[in-house]
Amino acid sequence: MTAYDVLRVFCGPDGAGGNELAVVRDGAALPGPAERAALAARLGYSETVFLDDPDRGTVDIHTPSVRLPFAGYPLVGLAWLLREQGRPPRTLRPPAGEVAVRFEGDLTWVRGRPEWVPPRRTERLASVAEVDALPAPPPGEGWLYAWAWQDEPAGVVRARGFPRRGDNIAEDEATGAAALLLTHQLARPLTIHQGAASQIFTRIHPDGTLAVGGRVRRPAV
């Protein structure tokens, strides 16, 4: 049996919420892409991340049905876990490119580029109530990030994410890449309340990169 850790990423300030993530710290134990895809499908988490080279921070990210070049919440979760083990990374390397890592209090931050985000559609709804009322998943095909302003002057957003790719994930509790995409589209930093109780923060940097950050916790045993 391949060993893995389970974390909750982008938890709210009270520790609730967060999207569950599987972290395989010894990627060499499962080197084949077909084996990794099978494990990710069997575990059924929104994403599973494999650490292939701890020194360089090389990683491989899978949903239950596809491999991703970049994703926010697996990188935030892995960075937090490595710091917890006394090896805080400065850089992680998914297939998309080098991702800078930063720690700030209880928040873990990673930086990426909007063009790294896999294709998905954002849709603004008229109110928080409309976002909350959506079924999971809504009718239609393709990744949907539905959102509404909760407090526009303060940059606070209510959002829900629906992969709609035919696997067992009807709704993502928290989604870093979609948060980066929305930040790029709105051209402003955001505080996003997603799913049942998750919280995501974003920032914009002068070099064109975008940062996504949040809290990470281990699920209660």
Side-chain angles (χ1 to χ4, degrees), residues 3-194:
Y4 60 93
D5 296 87
V6 178
L7 307 173
R8 292 185 296 111
V9 183
F10 296 134
C11 296
D14 59 355
N19 204 357
E20 285 194 317
L21 168 73
V23 181
V24 179
R25 285 182 276 161
D26 182 12
L30 208 66
E35 297 170 292
R36 294 182 176 193
L39 177 64
R42 181 170 61 80
L43 294 178
Y45 297 112
S46 289
E47 282 154 30
T48 298
V49 61
F50 299 83
L51 179 60
D52 288 326
D53 187 333
D55 294 328
R56 297 194 70 249
T58 306
V59 301
D60 188 27
I61 305 167
H62 289 256
T63 76
S65 59
V66 298
R67 182 173 181 257
L68 298 176
F70 171 81
Y73 101 90
L75 298 175
V76 168
L78 175 60
W80 179 91
L81 180 62
L82 290 174
R83 184 178 68 161
E84 187 186 58
Q85 296 170 344
R87 299 182 297 165
R90 296 181 64 182
T91 306
L92 293 174
R93 293 178 171 87
E98 291 192 358
V99 172
V101 178
R102 183 169 181 265
F103 302 98
E104 184 181 287
D106 66 345
L107 301 182
T108 300
W109 294 86
V110 301
R111 286 166 65 171
R113 297 190 173 276
E115 59 266 28
W116 291 353
V117 177
R120 56 194 62 188
R121 180 169 64 89
T122 64
E123 181 178 341
R124 179 181 177 179
L125 302 186
S127 67
V128 169
E130 287 191 25
V131 175
D132 290 341
L134 289 171
E141 298 181 356
W143 230 108
L144 173 66
Y145 200 56
W147 68 279
W149 286 114
Q150 184 170 318
D151 183 343
E152 185 172 359
V156 180
V157 164
R158 169 67 175 134
R160 293 173 67 192
F162 307 100
R164 297 192 302 191
R165 58 183 170 236
D167 56 28
N168 63 327
I169 306 299
E171 179 173 354
D172 261 346
E173 172 61 23
T175 321
L180 287 184
L181 180 61
L182 185 62
T183 299
H184 175 65
Q185 292 173 347
L186 297 177
R188 60 182 297 184
L190 300 172
T191 299
I192 300 173
H193 298 281
Q194 186 176 332

